[in-house]
Amino acid sequence: VAPVTRRRKHWGWGFTDEQPSEAALRGSAAAFAAVLGFGETEPEAAVPLERCTLPAPRLHPPAVLRDCCDGSDHARARHAYGSSYRDVVRGFRGRFDNPPDVVAKPRAEAELERVLEWAIGSGAAVIPYGGGTSVVGGVEPIVDRARFEGVVTIDLCRLDRVLEVDEVSQTARIEAGASGPSLEYQLREHRLTLRHYPQSYTQATLGGMIATRAAGHYATRLTHIDELVQSVRAITPAGAWRSLAAPASGAGVSPDRMLLGSEGTLGLITEAWVRVRPRPSFAAETAVRFPDFLSGAAGMREIVQSGLGPTQCRLLDPGEARLTGAGDGSSAVLMLGFESWAHNVKARLALALECCAGHGGVSDPVESRARKDADSEVGRWRESFIRAPYLRDLLVAMGVIAETFETATTWQRFASLHRSVSEATSAAIDAVCGVGLLSCRITHVYPDGPALYWTVLAPGTRGGELAQWDAIKRAAADAVIAGGAPITHHHAVGRDHRPWYDRERPDPFAAALRAAKAAVDPSGALNPGVLIDPA
Amino acid sequence: VAPVTRRRKHWGWGFTDEQPSEAALRGSAAAFAAVLGFGETEPEAAVPLERCTLPAPRLHPPAVLRDCCDGSDHARARHAYGSSYRDVVRGFRGRFDNPPDVVAKPRAEAELERVLEWAIGSGAAVIPYGGGTSVVGGVEPIVDRARFEGVVTIDLCRLDRVLEVDEVSQTARIEAGASGPSLEYQLREHRLTLRHYPQSYTQATLGGMIATRAAGHYATRLTHIDELVQSVRAITPAGAWRSLAAPASGAGVSPDRMLLGSEGTLGLITEAWVRVRPRPSFAAETAVRFPDFLSGAAGMREIVQSGLGPTQCRLLDPGEARLTGAGDGSSAVLMLGFESWAHNVKARLALALECCAGHGGVSDPVESRARKDADSEVGRWRESFIRAPYLRDLLVAMGVIAETFETATTWQRFASLHRSVSEATSAAIDAVCGVGLLSCRITHVYPDGPALYWTVLAPGTRGGELAQWDAIKRAAADAVIAGGAPITHHHAVGRDHRPWYDRERPDPFAAALRAAKAAVDPSGALNPGVLIDPA
């Protein structure tokens, strides 16, 4: 676990001590530019924090809360953005137009309640903040200045303990501010694991995952954190909202399912009972090469509809396979793996490979997890997956537009949606950047369809790259919605996806959600602008 | 499928043509009384409908709706109750104090909208009605007479078609009024099945299952209908509420999950896209005998936590095994089975049997489904399961109190909850009936805990049996809540569970749900008294 004294970079991913040296950056930039065919080999430097000018804070916490509040430039800059490409570029360039006025880091739920009471009493908006890994503007303090006196960001990072472990029921009560590595570290002494690894895993917190319905490690069955949550506790302005900790209930609408995906608009999630499991002792995985993306998808469909339930089942198109080192660009590559703590899983992998063979899938020899990760295609891909957010900081310094977007659709509509979204996005890349790369992977699969995830890499024009990206994103998102698919499979809505989300969600549901919010948050202080506008 | 001309019994389960002759009833009564040790062998006769007096209807539909509305005594009596023991006793005795004033059976969604508009415009309450199988007062027209001019029950039975089948994505769009057998019949030509068999399967409708979060066939993973629903369409007074049909979405709070469990309070569910699958071609099942209920539960826990995911995994305590013919009363019996349309499942059953053996479980020879059902313990239990609602009508005629209640808890709390609830219920049975039988089964299992289901059988006092049952139920439900468990795992809340539900659900959530309802149903017309009271 990262000791609390490590300092997060004020503009990008990870910690300040992880930032490579200038020489190392230059070397990496040259290497990447060669692979991409674009990108400046002389990386730009981030504007140091001391050269950034932040607007003066409009709010000042009372003495009793001063211990848990931080008005420093670093804290305010660090909490001004999430982790999207737009966020990194703005932070990199030293643009901090809307930082929170105060960052509070309560040390206990009671202190959190006092901060919330003070903030609302002061007419402030309140932004719940977990790991700051939102890529959709979910934590950005853009609020109506006529309506709110300022913004208090409540960072849950100090509520980071595993409070209780029920080894018999394989559940744990965990505070919402625990990051992925921190909660895994604490579970390890019980030989248990949550095993939920979104790409943001190293920074993301349990509360943030729940608030945004994060999708993680499991390509099937346990994909969204929703399935791992047994009960949730949240603090709302109207009091504590805590559901019964039971494996299941049929008592009315699920209170937990109303908090899952609420994105901080209904309350601040403070803890949850989650389902954990022993660490896997059996694993079998391999990479399967298909002639193309569509035949690979057909193989995946057969696997998931047959009920096999692989843990890993991700398909990279040829371009994505090349970029991540999982292939040479001549074929689509399926990362396929099963794991279990109780039983050998080789027979299940063999059945899955039979499904693939019928669609032209040719597999590498089956690997056990003991084999050194980096030696294999699966290992190279996994390493690349975890490093991607770090890499993005370098790409920004190289002037490269680097961002992703995602959705899900039925198997029936998959091929046409893949084509229409890819074409619209490529056309936009060509129009605004001249050249660029668009690749796609299937990240998670369901019996009724796949989740699709596109990566955009293109040379940006210094100072104009945000407008360029906005144009690409608009084309992509319009095509997603036109294809009848949701604006996000696991990146959430935040502020950035609002224009498309507003078109896809049913009106009576929006009215119901708006009313529900007003009932528990009468002043509309909680994360205004996210998901819904106040009544 | 039952032809639409068949007439439902006005007071009990199934159709009039299924009601046994008096001689047959007498024979069955003698046989059951011998098994139970109580119950009158001379069964009482139900009060015929023509001898029942119903209050005069207070509402009269306009001419344009008369075709789809029914004000007959049979229709009104038939829709006066659900299917709980309390309901059957009252119907049997000819007590129809609160029938709906009008029963509407719209033939299309547009007609349903017209009925809804007329009913709300007339100041009526509206009760959405599927199969009438609620056992919690979910469709009983008890409404505030000072607030509503009458009650219109909208029966969805004519919206019973499978509208669309997507064989590639293995999904189907089905109207809400389709009963279990009807939708299965329509899916059969596509060689697909929903495979969701709650005990009410023969009468229950898809819309009712969704509104009440029904639990069905699958003992693991796909237990609740929630997991089989891809998207839902409902008509609310504020318009149509339809979610995107996608395999998954991370776009905010799930609109479907707000309709699932809404019990008719937010809108009338008219159709849904559901996940279907090919009919299973591989099955392996057996019965496993354990020395006692707790050791059987330990075996189940090991099975489900190991990730095996059996389709059938139900544990009967010795008394329940005896009563259902699945055992001789000397041991607990686990019904254990796997099924698949794609792969042989014998290896998985073998692994599950290893889990059982470690806890003293001894299995019968493994059966394939081809073996004639009635020859086996599993078959005898399955037959008994499906016949139970029919049997209940006979037990009522024998003056026997016959009802069930259920909940779910963690594995950690399972043994103590099982003991405390069983003791409290047994004490109440002894106090009000002198003798009686209480048995328990585990109906569904999760990695974090089981769902428990108790059956009460006791000799009632003619005319006093409802008060007797109410006392038993109160003791049982108080013990369930005192043990920190939800008031229901799959029977829903309705009107009957309100006193306990109101204690278990979080207050801010109740406020949110009340406000959500008011936003889409401003007059509070939809199923008033269910789940929440109007603001």
Side-chain angles (χ1 to χ4, degrees), chain B residues 267-281:
Chain B
L268 291 111
I269 294 167
T270 55
E271 58 180 67
W273 276 101
V274 293
R275 299 180 177 113
V276 293
R277 67 211 65 241
R279 306 183 68 78
S281 34

Side-chain angles (χ1 to χ4, degrees), chain B residues 28-99:
Chain B
S28 302
F32 275 108
V35 173
L36 297 175
F38 51 80
E40 296 170 25
T41 52
E42 201 60 41
E44 188 181 345
V47 176
L49 182 58
E50 53 276 18
R51 296 226 325 266
C52 301
T53 307
L54 274 63
R58 290 168 294 166
L59 292 165
H60 302 280
V64 64
L65 295 176
R66 223 160 282 158
D67 265 9
C68 76
C69 288
D70 189 342
S72 70
D73 279 0
H74 181 268
R76 294 177 66 213
R78 173 68 246 158
H79 293 79
Y81 296 117
S83 302
S84 72
Y85 170 72
R86 303 183 81 256
D87 294 338
V88 175
V89 169
R90 288 180 294 173
F92 185 83
R93 292 270 158 68
R95 276 178 49 191
F96 293 99
D97 300 337
N98 295 294

Side-chain angles (χ1 to χ4, degrees), chain B residues 415-487:
Chain B
S416 74
L417 185 82
H418 174 251
R419 192 175 54 244
S420 64
V421 173
S422 297
E423 284 176 1
T425 311
S426 290
I429 293 171
D430 289 351
V432 297
C433 299
V435 295
L437 297 172
L438 178 70
S439 62
C440 187
R441 65 176 184 259
I442 292 176
T443 56
H444 304 86
V445 276
Y446 304 86
D448 43 341
L452 288 87
Y453 192 101
W454 284 267
T455 298
V456 175
L457 295 167
T461 307
R462 197 159 285 183
E465 60 270 86
L466 291 189
Q468 289 173 303
W469 165 247
D470 287 347
I472 297 166
K473 170 71 179 179
R474 205 158 42 239
D478 285 347
V480 164
I481 295 289
I487 190 59

Side-chain angles (χ1 to χ4, degrees), chain A residues 168 245 252 275 301 413 448, chain B residues 168 213 245 275 301 413 448:
Chain A
V168 176
R275 300 183 175 110
R301 176 166 82 88
R413 281 176 290 187
D448 43 340
Chain B
V168 176
R213 300 176 65 198
R275 299 180 177 113
R301 176 166 82 88
R413 282 177 290 187
D448 43 341

Side-chain angles (χ1 to χ4, degrees), chain B residues 284-290 303 312-316 321 324-328 331-338 349 352-353 356-357 360-368 371 373 375-382:
Chain B
E285 61 186 18
T286 187
V288 186
R289 286 180 305 284
F290 286 88
I303 291 169
Q312 180 79 230
C313 192
R314 285 161 215 244
L315 179 70
L316 318 182
T324 56
D328 61 8
S331 53
V333 180
L334 175 65
M335 306 289 154
L336 183 62
F338 290 82
L349 179 56
L353 290 177
C356 295
V362 178
S363 74
D364 291 352
V366 170
E367 303 158 19
S368 83
R371 185 171 159 188
D373 261 347
D375 291 349
S376 68
E377 285 170 355
V378 174
R380 276 192 294 277
W381 179 81
R382 187 180 291 121

